[in-house]
Amino acid sequence: MDFDDQAQLDSSQVENRGRGGIPGGGLAIGGGAAGIIALIVALVFGINPGDITGGGGSENPAVQPSSDLGEKCKTGADADQDEQCRVVGVVNSLQDYWATQVDGYQKAKTALFEQGVQTECGAADSAVGPFYCPVDRYVYLDLSFFNQLESQLGAANTPFAQSYVIAHEYGHHVQNLTGTLEQSGGEGADSGSVRVELQADCYAGVWAKNAVDTGFFANAFTDKDIQEALDAASAVGDDSIQRKSGGQVNPDAFTHGTSEQRVTWFTNGYKSGDPARCDTFSGSI
């Protein structure tokens, strides 16, 4: 993936909160690979940490001071050279696209953090992985997650794999705005949670098909780019994660969908380029 060198980035859509602890203790994290994978089963790509820590955020959440990305993230050329600027470029493109698809679209910021962060959905540790908080309408991302994606789950840490993850989270923001996020809940192969997650994968594919039209990229994404997204989607399937954690595949515990389903729904979105083709709530999935 290559950004248009002349594309103008809006760094105000991404906050760099830096390193910060979690007030009040926060989330207890299990050690070792199995602990990380267990957390990823529950949390990666969509479930907010409040579901684990006991519900809502604090009345006066402590927010780490932000570091201005405006000085270094100005153009698409910067996005090609710097990981944080790449996040800015992807977020800009996602929001420009969804503003054309959702009436009254309201932008969601992304907060980059290290080690821990306090949100309106509760406290989160970096091992939680990326998540969207519908209360404060932020996507939260510790960039170290992408190293875990590669070392623990076997998906390459590449620019477009990262873009897929971010696009999935913004899919949850779209669901929050349109009301479908409310249908998330429960566990099992046919649960609302699985259907919500698969729709977010589909929305990520839709954006990928239309991203070049937002003006932030020099060219449409290549087959190699798309394959990187598919590999990442496959790596975070419930069945794949259960196997990697040493357990048996248990469909009754699914919350995100199988590897095959995640690949299929991203592909459906990418091939159609149409959000209307992402109805995971009608019929079988």
Side-chain angles (χ1 to χ4, degrees):
M1 57 181 282
D2 294 309
F3 285 87
D4 182 335
D5 287 349
Q6 304 305 314
Q8 299 299 300
L9 303 185
D10 178 5
S11 63
S12 70
Q13 296 180 22
V14 179
E15 296 177 2
N16 182 15
R17 296 190 182 177
R19 179 172 298 184
I22 304 175
L27 190 67
I29 301 300
I36 293 174
I37 291 175
L39 281 167
I40 292 174
V41 170
L43 297 172
V44 72
F45 294 3
I47 306 301
N48 73 66
D51 294 336
I52 299 298
T53 60
S58 63
E59 291 183 2
N60 297 295
V63 176
Q64 294 85 353
S66 299
S67 174
D68 184 18
L69 295 174
E71 288 302 311
K72 69 173 181 177
C73 302
K74 297 180 178 180
T75 68
D78 298 325
D80 280 328
Q81 300 298 320
D82 183 274
E83 186 176 42
Q84 291 182 341
C85 297
R86 180 163 64 242
V87 173
V88 173
V90 171
V91 169
N92 289 172
S93 175
L94 280 159
Q95 306 224 79
D96 277 17
Y97 171 70
W98 285 113
T100 69
Q101 302 298 310
V102 178
D103 289 341
Y105 179 80
Q106 297 173 328
K107 293 179 179 179
K109 288 188 176 183
T110 289
L112 304 179
F113 68 95
E114 297 176 39
Q115 295 189 336
V117 68
Q118 180 73 32
T119 83
E120 290 284 0
C121 292
D125 184 282
S126 60
V128 164
F131 63 94
Y132 171 70
C133 173
V135 181
D136 58 26
R137 294 183 176 179
Y138 268 72
V139 170
Y140 291 92
L141 173 63
D142 186 331
L143 292 173
S144 68
F145 164 77
F146 296 118
N147 294 325
Q148 296 177 14
L149 182 64
E150 184 167 43
S151 63
Q152 303 293 340
L153 298 177
N157 182 4
T158 63
F160 199 74
Q162 295 180 9
S163 300
Y164 154 69
V165 172
I166 298 168
H168 176 101
E169 296 307 331
Y170 273 85
H172 287 312
H173 178 57
V174 172
Q175 291 171 324
N176 190 30
L177 295 178
T178 59
T180 57
L181 192 61
E182 297 175 359
Q183 299 185 54
S184 181
E187 296 181 351
D190 197 43
S191 65
S193 295
V194 168
R195 291 175 182 271
V196 161
E197 297 299 333
L198 294 179
Q199 185 177 63
D201 280 335
C202 187
Y203 283 163
V206 168
W207 164 75
K209 183 68 172 182
N210 295 284
V212 69
D213 295 333
T214 65
F216 287 93
F217 299 95
N219 303 290
F221 298 132
T222 66
D223 291 343
K224 181 177 181 294
D225 292 328
I226 300 305
Q227 187 58 53
E228 291 170 356
L230 295 176
D231 290 345
S234 179
V236 294
D238 283 319
D239 53 341
S240 178
I241 293 175
Q242 288 176 355
R243 290 190 189 97
K244 287 183 173 69
S245 64
Q248 295 182 338
V249 174
N250 178 15
D252 290 338
F254 285 179
T255 57
H256 289 68
T258 66
S259 295
E260 181 180 3
Q261 286 175 316
R262 301 197 73 162
V263 166
T264 295
W265 280 100
F266 177 90
T267 302
N268 287 349
Y270 180 70
K271 287 186 174 179
S272 69
D274 181 2
R277 300 292 294 274
C278 294
D279 181 7
T280 57
F281 299 95
S282 299
S284 61
I285 49 175

